[in-house]
Structures are given as C-alpha cells and as structure tokens.
Amino acid sequence: MANDRTVEILDSTLRDGAQGEGISFSIQDKIHIVEALDELGVKYIEAGNPGSNPKDMEFFQQVKKLNLKNAELCAFGSTRRKGMSCIEDTNLQSLLAAETKNVVFFGKSWDFQVTEIIKTTLEENLEMIRDTAEFLTKNGRNVIYDAEHFFSAYQSNKEYALKTLQAAVDGGASVLCLCETKGGCVLNECYEATKAVYEAFGDKVKIGIHTHNDSGLAVANTLMAVDAGARHVQGCFLGIGERTGNANLSTIIPNLQLKMNYKCIPDENLKMLTGTAVKMGEIANLHLDPGMPYVGTNAFAHKAGMHIDAVLKNPKAYEHVDPEAVGNERVFLMSEVAGRSTLIEKLKKFDPNISKDDPVVSDIMAKVKQMEFEGYQFEGAEGSFELMVRKTMGKYQPFFNLHYYQVNSVNPRPEEGVCACAQVKVEVDGKIEVTAGEGSGPVNALDIALRRGLEKFYPSLGQFRLTDYKVRVLDGKSATASRVRVLIESSDGDDSWTTVGVSNDLVEASWLALVDSFEYKLIKDIEKKFKKII
C-alpha cells in the first residue's frame, strides 16, 4: 500500500479547528465550509461531534440536504464509556443518528492516559476500542480509528500501543490514524513510529497521521509519516485548532502533490487552493497570515530590486513553484528599495507601452521616496499605491468631493457599542449628501457615515467591509504629537486590498486610508464591468 501514490485528505476544520481560540462557527458557516472543501476535492470532512451539543446535531440534519460532489462526511466521537455497553452509550447512538457513511472515533493508546486519566484497566481499554469499532462496523459505518496520544504511547509502552491498534483492527476499522496529540514529536520519532505501524498493519488497513503544531513541526511530521507509509492525512485547511493549531492542509496538499508526487485532490483543483483559503478565512472571520506558504499574500511577493529584476527575467530565480499552480499571484512590492524594473512592471497595467525613460516614471519614483520618507508604506498598501499612480499619470477621476467631516465622542453613551458619532458632507455629480453615523469608535462611525452618503450613488459599496485596522506610531519621541500610519484592509468577498494614511492626527490618517479604500473598490467595479463588455 505504501507504493500507492494517492493520499486521502480528511479536513477537521469543523471539529478540531473549531477548538481553536476565537473560533465559533454557526450552522450556516459550517455549511459554507463543507461546500468549499467539497468543491476543492478533499476526500473526507470531519463535520463535528453530534453527541457533544445540539448545534452539531442540528448541523448534521441540515447538511444532509447538500448534494456533495467529492467529499464524504464523517461524524466524530469516542469509544464507549467504561463499564457500559455500546448500545447503552448515548454518544455512540448519536454517531449513528448523524447518518454519515463514515465515523471517526478516538481511543486511548497511552497506558498513562488509561490508568491515570480515564481510570480504567489496560484490558478494559482494549475492549472499549474493539467493541466500539465492531459496533459501528456492524451498523454499516466505515470506521476510522484515531489513536490518541499514539506517539507518546509508542515511546512509553510500545507493546501496549500496538495492542490498542490491533483491537481497532479486530473490531473492523479500515483506517488507523496515529495522532501526535501533544505536538511535541520530532521528525525521526514520527517517521520511525509510523514506519513500525505500517510494517505491522499496512497490509490490512490504511495508516493515517494527525499532527499538532506545538513544536512548529506539524506539516513536516505529516510529510515524514507519508514517507513512512501513511496514506490518510488529517489536518485543518488553515492550520487552526487547539493551542498552536493542527497541521495546515493548505501547505500539506501542495507539498505532497507538487513536490512529492502524491495525488491528494484533482490536479485541476490545485488552482483553487488560494481562493479556498481566502473563502475559509472569511467564513471563520480570520485574518490570514500573509506569510502563509503557497496561499498567503506574501507567498510570491518580491521587494528587493535585485530579486525583482531576476524574477522578471526568469521566475525560477526566486520562486519554488509557479504561483498560478496554487491560484496565487506574483506581487512586486513597491518601496524605496525597489528599482525601476519593479515600477515599470506595475505601470504597464496603466500603459503597456511605458518605458524607463518616460518622465512620469521619475515623477512616481520621486513621489514614492518622498511619501515613504513622510511615513507612508506602499509595500503593504497596494490600493493606495495604485491610486497615487493613477493621479500622477492623469488616469484618475474622483468619485466624490468631500466638503467636510467631523467626529465627536458620545457621552454618556446612548447604548452599548456606541461611543462616537461622525458627520460627513459629500458631493456626487452636483448632488449634496449630509449623513451621520454612530459607531464603536471614530473610524467605525466615519465608515458608517461615508457609506450612507455614497451607497445611493454607488450601491456596490454595500458589498464590502473593513476587515482589519492597524495603527503604528512613527516617531515615539514626540509622544502624543507623533505621526501615525494607519493601514486598513478591506474585502468584498472576492478580493481584498489594503490602503494607508499618514498624519499627526489619528482620525485624519484613518480618514485618508478609509477614502482610498472606498475609491479603490469603485475603480475595481468599473474595471470588472469593462472586462465583461470586452
């Protein structure tokens, strides 16, 4: 079986991922995640524990209505309780009630956990594993057994750890998934233990791996386990989960498929990887780490002039894979250390025939350096950079004119969550709008007021939202008189962009970044309409 080049993927975002700090999925969130993972082409989706809470059981009822094309759902639970039959165990009955074709259940592999945590005998634990696997199998379920704490167990008592796996096999489990539950295993330990299990059981069942990232090795340990014979890989698509998280499937899948010649998802679906990551992040309300391998916004970003010049000549100079292979894109970061080659590449979007000798190139280079001297940072604010370029090249037409804005704190607070109000007067095509907004802070209030004033002219502004807001003090020596840089990240569900504002006044810096965000969205809408026409 180790010669088989297919690795089945089980995504546990809805179960193990939901155990991460700050993660809370509604039933509709879970439905959307199932749809996204099914579209990507993963084999299994571990959809939750139906016996743990009413929301999970309700979800299992709702998800039956979906017509999945690729993925199969798995209900998750534990062995029967000690001193109780499987028929009497309400959690096992809940697993059956979920009516999934596949069931994942976990049991104890580590003798310490058996005697000190669940307080039973080693023999009773073996019976619990065997009985549970047999009960689920006889009820028509495909059984995946998660051997909890397996690697700790293997180091502590190898003989007993293997007996627990044998009990699952005797009960009819089709997959033995070795769980590196504490996340402390190093590579050779993971490889050797997985190899031993494969040699003992690989001719009877599929061997799986489930790792955690407490040592920063979850992805590496997973790859080592596959090298040792594992053909079933569990993780969470964005690496979220308990403590420091689970193995990140958005990294594992392309590593296995592009680097190690294994088949995890349909080849044509690899281009959906980055889009799926963005979608999953939106659903989970997570700000994706821009440095995330393969799918992060910085995964194929280049800043140094020498690097950019080399990539323009041949991308292989500094890129380990083609960004398009995983649905990402190459980014050249604009800053004072970037050369003319970088700028020319960006300006071709507006004028394909522009040359290095064009006076506007020098104008823009000078403006970038001056603005970055003043505190702007364009490498992380492509939206504002593009607007500045359009204005300098004469390819900009304002969507509205500001007459004034003002912000006031609200005391006493009229209701919870309201501590500021803003008023904005704007003009669009000679029509004046004066609008107000209340918010949890001055930027929130300004956002609401500006949105109200412009949505009647530009309805699409209702489709985007601010997703992140950062403030950095640029000169700490001046204390409260310091200049500040504000970065605002926005998203309309399809794309995300960042804008920047700099001022001695925090509200003014925020306003500058906010207006850029609105204008960038409107420009994007026009470009999309134009592409549809042509």
Side-chain angles (χ1 to χ4, degrees), residues 338-412:
R340 281 181 177 254
S341 296
T342 308
L343 185 58
I344 291 296
E345 194 65 22
K346 287 183 173 293
L347 296 186
K348 283 181 179 179
K349 174 180 177 180
F350 312 102
D351 182 357
N353 299 316
I354 197 165
S355 69
K356 290 184 178 181
D357 299 326
D358 195 309
V360 75
V361 176
S362 297
D363 290 346
I364 293 173
M365 284 291 289
K367 188 165 290 188
V368 167
K369 291 182 178 181
Q370 178 59 35
M371 292 181 75
E372 292 210 349
F373 174 76
E374 293 171 2
Y376 279 83
Q377 186 181 64
F378 288 120
E379 67 182 73
E382 288 290 303
S384 291
F385 173 75
E386 182 172 321
L387 287 169
M388 182 272 288
V389 168
R390 286 178 179 274
K391 292 173 183 178
T392 307
M393 296 181 73
K395 297 179 180 293
Y396 167 81
Q397 183 70 34
F399 291 91
F400 62 92
N401 294 316
L402 171 72
H403 285 248
Y404 68 81
Y405 71 85
Q406 62 180 23
V407 180
N408 298 298
S409 58
V410 178
N411 288 299

Side-chain angles (χ1 to χ4, degrees), residues 119-298:
K119 303 290 185 181
T120 192
T121 66
L122 298 183
E123 186 56 38
E124 168 73 359
N125 181 59
L126 296 178
E127 292 174 3
M128 290 160 62
I129 297 170
R130 186 183 307 110
D131 291 349
T132 303
E134 185 176 22
F135 173 76
L136 294 169
T137 302
K138 286 184 176 180
N139 278 278
R141 304 303 191 266
N142 175 49
V143 175
I144 298 169
Y145 174 62
D146 277 6
E148 188 184 34
H149 288 288
F150 180 78
F151 293 90
S152 298
Y154 191 80
Q155 296 295 324
S156 172
N157 187 337
K158 183 186 304 184
E159 181 182 0
Y160 184 73
L162 294 176
K163 282 184 178 181
T164 63
L165 299 182
Q166 185 63 56
V169 173
D170 292 343
S174 66
V175 177
L176 297 177
C177 186
L178 312 180
C179 299
E180 212 282 270
T181 310
K182 293 199 295 183
C185 219
V186 294
L187 304 184
N188 65 309
E189 294 173 344
C190 188
Y191 178 87
E192 294 299 334
T194 306
K195 188 72 172 176
V197 171
Y198 173 75
E199 291 173 351
F201 298 100
D203 60 338
K204 306 178 188 71
V205 295
K206 190 165 289 187
I207 309 303
I209 183 68
H210 175 120
T211 63
H212 285 255
N213 204 39
D214 298 73
S215 298
L217 297 173
V219 169
N221 276 331
T222 298
L223 301 183
M224 291 296 287
V226 171
D227 207 34
R231 293 296 180 268
H232 170 100
V233 165
Q234 297 186 5
C236 296
F237 194 73
L238 297 178
I240 59 177
E242 196 95 34
R243 305 185 309 279
T244 58
N246 289 58
N248 190 335
L249 293 178
S250 71
T251 303
I252 290 169
I253 291 171
N255 274 329
L256 287 175
Q257 202 140 332
L258 295 175
K259 302 293 185 70
M260 297 172 67
N261 196 32
Y262 289 99
K263 183 73 168 288
C264 303
I265 61 175
D267 289 332
E268 62 273 18
N269 288 7
L270 267 180
K271 291 186 177 182
M272 298 167 58
L273 206 71
T274 300
T276 302
V278 172
K279 186 180 297 183
M280 296 276 281
E282 283 289 313
I283 296 169
N285 196 27
L286 289 175
H287 179 68
L288 295 186
D289 179 0
M292 193 178 290
Y294 294 103
V295 300
T297 54
N298 290 349

Side-chain angles (χ1 to χ4, degrees), residues 10-11 14 34 37-38 42-47 71-74:
L10 182 149
D11 185 280
L14 297 179
V34 168
L37 292 171
D38 177 56
V42 303
K43 172 70 172 175
Y44 296 116
I45 300 172
E46 194 172 66
E72 298 177 14
L73 295 179
C74 305

Side-chain angles (χ1 to χ4, degrees), residues 13 15-26 29 33 55 238 240-245 280-287:
T13 298
R15 200 274 303 173
D16 222 348
Q19 295 172 198
E21 183 180 1
I23 303 296
S24 179
F25 297 122
S26 68
D29 288 339
I33 286 174
K55 185 168 73 173
L238 297 178
I240 59 177
E242 196 95 34
R243 305 185 309 279
T244 58
M280 296 276 281
E282 283 289 313
I283 296 169
N285 196 27
L286 289 175
H287 179 68

Side-chain angles (χ1 to χ4, degrees), residues 34 92 118 168 195 202 213 219 305 369 397 417 444 468 496 502 534:
V34 168
L92 290 183
I118 65 173
K195 188 72 172 176
N213 204 39
V219 169
K369 291 182 178 181
Q397 183 70 34
N444 183 221
D468 199 14
S496 61
V502 175
I534 61 173

Side-chain angles (χ1 to χ4, degrees), residues 265-338:
I265 61 175
D267 289 332
E268 62 273 18
N269 288 7
L270 267 180
K271 291 186 177 182
M272 298 167 58
L273 206 71
T274 300
T276 302
V278 172
K279 186 180 297 183
M280 296 276 281
E282 283 289 313
I283 296 169
N285 196 27
L286 289 175
H287 179 68
L288 295 186
D289 179 0
M292 193 178 290
Y294 294 103
V295 300
T297 54
N298 290 349
F300 301 95
H302 307 280
K303 180 176 178 180
M306 181 185 70
H307 285 212
I308 293 169
D309 185 63
V311 169
L312 287 170
K313 292 172 181 174
N314 191 327
K316 291 182 180 179
Y318 285 97
E319 291 177 351
H320 66 118
V321 299
D322 182 350
E324 291 185 0
V326 291
N328 210 332
E329 61 183 4
R330 184 174 298 116
V331 176
F332 296 131
L333 301 174
M334 194 63 231
S335 75
E336 77 278 5
V337 300

